[in-house]
Amino acid sequence: MDDVGGGSPGACSKNKKPRHLARSLTYHHHHHHPYQGQGRHLPPPPSPSPASNPQRAQAVVLYTTSLRGVRRTFADCCAVRAVLRGLRVAVDERDVSMDAALRRELQSLLAARGRGFSLPQLLVGGALVGGADEVRRLHEAGELRRVLEGAPGQDPAFVCDACGGVRFVPCPACDGSRKVFVEAEGLPRRCGECNENGLVRCPNCCS
């Protein structure tokens, strides 16, 4: 790392200790339920259902990507997110670049509707609204607010204290190392709680 303090390298090395990220193995004494982000048990977006819980039935789910590899796709994700934030609705954002299970979930959802994979994708109450073009068209026509009627609200300035708005946190079972030590076997094993990046969905702000 470049020395930005202006002092000599020798003085810096004497006064400062190198920072290390903890990546130690975690001991497991009992079995945990598998992390739902792995895809085997990941629940699909809520489907329209009886009015026993109308707020839940109008949950807003937005599939996005935080990768900037395709500029247009990244810009479309940002645009749809900004529109929803401006309408002050709570959004369950699912970043497919952070979890392969979310990508598979969206692929399956679109394939069932005869549509190809594209991002972003907005669902309201389990019903597919569409991508950036559909959201933009509804918003410009003043219809998007009607589609979102009944969705839970949220302050647009809200930032989750637990994840900082990233929607993922390091796995608490393995500290993000993706490995745990099984004491009964005396061997490290792949952690069953987290995804391929050692992350779990933030329990504070994700459904």
Side-chain angles (χ1 to χ4, degrees):
M1 181 179 296
D2 294 336
D3 181 14
V4 297
S8 65
C12 179
S13 61
K14 290 179 180 179
N15 298 330
K16 294 184 179 181
K17 295 182 180 180
R19 297 174 62 186
H20 297 284
L21 296 177
R23 305 287 285 181
S24 59
L25 297 179
T26 302
Y27 285 81
H28 273 201
H29 299 277
H30 59 277
H31 295 290
H32 294 273
H33 297 294
Y35 165 55
Q36 294 186 344
Q38 289 180 297
R40 290 189 292 272
H41 305 288
L42 189 68
S47 300
S49 57
S52 57
N53 190 345
Q55 187 181 55
R56 179 61 179 170
Q58 281 299 96
V60 179
V61 177
L62 178 64
Y63 290 91
T64 64
T65 179
S66 56
L67 294 181
R68 302 177 184 234
V70 181
R71 185 177 299 178
R72 172 66 184 274
T73 299
F74 180 76
D76 283 345
C77 291
C78 291
V80 172
R81 184 187 301 113
V83 167
L84 296 174
R85 185 174 297 160
L87 293 174
R88 307 177 72 90
V89 294
V91 178
D92 178 9
E93 187 171 342
R94 303 186 176 187
D95 187 345
V96 302
S97 66
M98 298 284 281
D99 193 329
L102 295 179
R103 173 175 286 272
R104 292 192 296 270
E105 178 183 277
L106 179 58
Q107 286 173 331
S108 175
L109 186 151
L110 292 174
R113 291 162 172 78
R115 302 184 60 166
F117 184 86
S118 65
L119 291 169
Q121 291 294 329
L122 175 66
L123 292 92
V124 178
L128 180 64
V129 175
D133 291 339
E134 290 86 353
V135 172
R136 188 178 297 112
R137 185 162 50 248
L138 287 169
H139 185 50
E140 291 175 351
E143 291 293 313
L144 186 57
R145 190 178 295 276
R146 180 186 59 79
V147 172
L148 294 168
E149 186 176 349
Q154 186 175 81
D155 185 341
F158 169 78
V159 178
C160 177
D161 291 334
C163 68
V166 180
R167 307 285 180 150
F168 285 89
V169 294
C171 175
C174 67
D175 295 326
S177 69
R178 300 174 57 209
K179 291 183 179 180
V180 293
F181 191 87
V182 182
E183 193 174 61
E185 300 177 5
L187 295 171
R189 295 290 185 188
R190 169 72 168 87
C191 179
E193 302 287 330
C194 56
N195 68 11
E196 70 275 9
N197 296 311
L199 302 172
V200 297
R201 295 258 285 162
C202 177
N204 191 51
C205 66
C206 294
S207 60

